[in-house]
């Protein structure tokens, strides 16, 4: 570092003069272009993420399931195959930006890179837009998507289906997020990964003690030894 603690030195360009600090601003246009020009050259854009909800049974949530969800989303236009141009024609390179999708905006000492005002950052212009999608390259259609719901999913959990969202324009497809709702079971409840069960017993069983058959989720019973003098509301744990 120089005396000013900045690494700037004389002759680098910028603010000169005796005792002043000089620095090189030659690459700031590229720097700000990288920050603000988020679209790649040619206007490639990632598709949007989509969200939907799915109501499933208690047993499906426990076991996991591949479910089908219906949604309305943007998909690649079937008429122009996503080019945005009327069939038989095609986009042409933008004359203003030379296909880069960006243009420099001089602001005194700085040059900022911003999306081209003529092509909107796409780098291409369409003289004859597709009639089906009005040149957007996408159309809105209902579709059904299969989503793998993992075992043990919980109420309100969001499951991500990578690449099953909205179509991009020259870029990757977005993701689909599915929020799960679970129908209650007529016998069992859940507390995280554990099952819960409210078991009615008679007064004599609670007072004198008894061996009580506890139903299992997958069928069958397990025996629970109820000690004498068990109060109402006491919780017992059956491991595993």
């Amino acid at each position: 570092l120089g005396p000013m603690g900045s690494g700037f030195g004389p002759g680098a360009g910028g603010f000169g003069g005796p005792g002043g600090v000089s620095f090189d601003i030659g690459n700031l246009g590229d720097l700000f272009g990288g920050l603000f020009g988020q679209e790649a050259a040619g206007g490639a854009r990632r598709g949007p993420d989509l969200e939907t909800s799915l109501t499933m049974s208690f047993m499906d949530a426990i076991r996991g399931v591949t479910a089908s969800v219906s949604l309305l989303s943007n998909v690649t236009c079937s008429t122009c195959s996503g080019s945005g141009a009327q069939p038989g024609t095609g986009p042409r390179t933008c004359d203003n930006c030379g296909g880069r999708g960006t243009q420099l905006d001089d602001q005194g000492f700085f040059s900022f890179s911003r999306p081209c005002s003529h092509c909107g950052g796409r780098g291409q212009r369409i003289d004859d837009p597709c009639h089906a999608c009005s040149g957007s390259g996408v159309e809105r259609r209902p579709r059904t998507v299969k989503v793998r719901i993992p075992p043990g999913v919980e109420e309100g959990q969001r499951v991500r289906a990578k690449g099953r969202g909205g179509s991009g324009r020259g870029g990757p497809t977005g993701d689909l997020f599915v929020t799960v709702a679970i129908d209650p079971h007529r016998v069992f409840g859940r507390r995280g990964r554990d099952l819960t069960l409210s078991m009615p017993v008679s007064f004599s069983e609670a007072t004198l003690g008894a061996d009580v058959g506890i139903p299992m989720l997958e069928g069958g019973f397990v025996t629970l030894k109820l000690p004498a003098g068990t109060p109402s509301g006491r919780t017992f744990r059956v491991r595993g």
Side-chain angles (χ1 to χ4, degrees), residues 2-211:
M4 301 299 292
S6 63
F8 302 138
F15 300 111
V21 178
S22 301
F23 60 95
D24 186 0
I25 61 173
N27 292 325
L28 288 182
D30 294 335
L31 172 63
F32 286 104
L35 292 175
F36 298 109
Q38 295 298 318
E39 293 182 4
R45 282 187 284 242
R46 180 183 182 274
D49 291 335
L50 303 178
E51 295 205 27
T52 189
S53 58
L54 173 68
T55 301
M56 57 194 310
S57 71
F58 188 90
M59 290 302 299
D60 283 344
I62 294 293
R63 297 169 176 165
V65 67
T66 297
S68 296
V69 295
S70 298
L71 61 154
L72 192 65
S73 66
N74 290 339
V75 297
T76 300
C77 177
S78 57
T79 301
C80 67
S81 300
S83 71
Q86 188 67 12
T89 68
R92 63 179 176 84
T93 301
C94 176
D95 299 329
N96 186 59
C97 66
R100 295 185 305 273
T102 59
Q103 63 186 70
L104 293 179
D105 186 7
D106 292 328
Q107 298 289 336
F109 288 102
F110 298 95
S111 291
F112 295 92
S113 179
R114 60 184 177 87
C116 175
S117 58
H118 288 228
C119 65
R122 297 178 180 178
Q124 296 178 324
R125 299 190 65 179
I126 299 173
D127 296 321
D128 189 8
C130 171
H131 299 326
C133 65
S134 300
S136 66
V138 295
E139 57 184 340
R140 199 160 181 81
R141 287 205 311 256
R143 63 188 176 107
T144 300
V145 178
K146 290 188 179 298
V147 179
R148 176 62 185 167
I149 306 298
V153 66
E154 299 187 18
E155 175 77 22
Q157 184 174 335
R158 294 173 82 229
V159 177
R160 176 191 180 199
K162 187 176 180 180
R164 307 310 297 271
S167 297
R169 174 142 190 163
T173 304
D175 298 332
L176 173 64
F177 292 89
V178 181
T179 302
V180 174
I182 303 173
D183 286 332
H185 195 277
R186 63 184 183 87
V187 174
F188 294 96
R190 280 184 63 184
R191 187 178 297 126
R193 305 286 292 186
D194 300 324
L195 294 176
T196 61
L197 170 69
S198 294
M199 185 69 186
V201 296
S202 67
F203 179 79
S204 60
E205 288 175 324
T207 303
L208 303 176
D211 290 335

Side-chain angles (χ1 to χ4, degrees), residues 217-237:
L217 183 66
E218 302 289 349
F221 292 84
V222 62
T223 299
L224 174 68
K225 188 173 185 60
L226 198 68
T230 297
S232 179
R234 180 176 175 183
T235 298
F236 293 89
R237 178 170 61 177

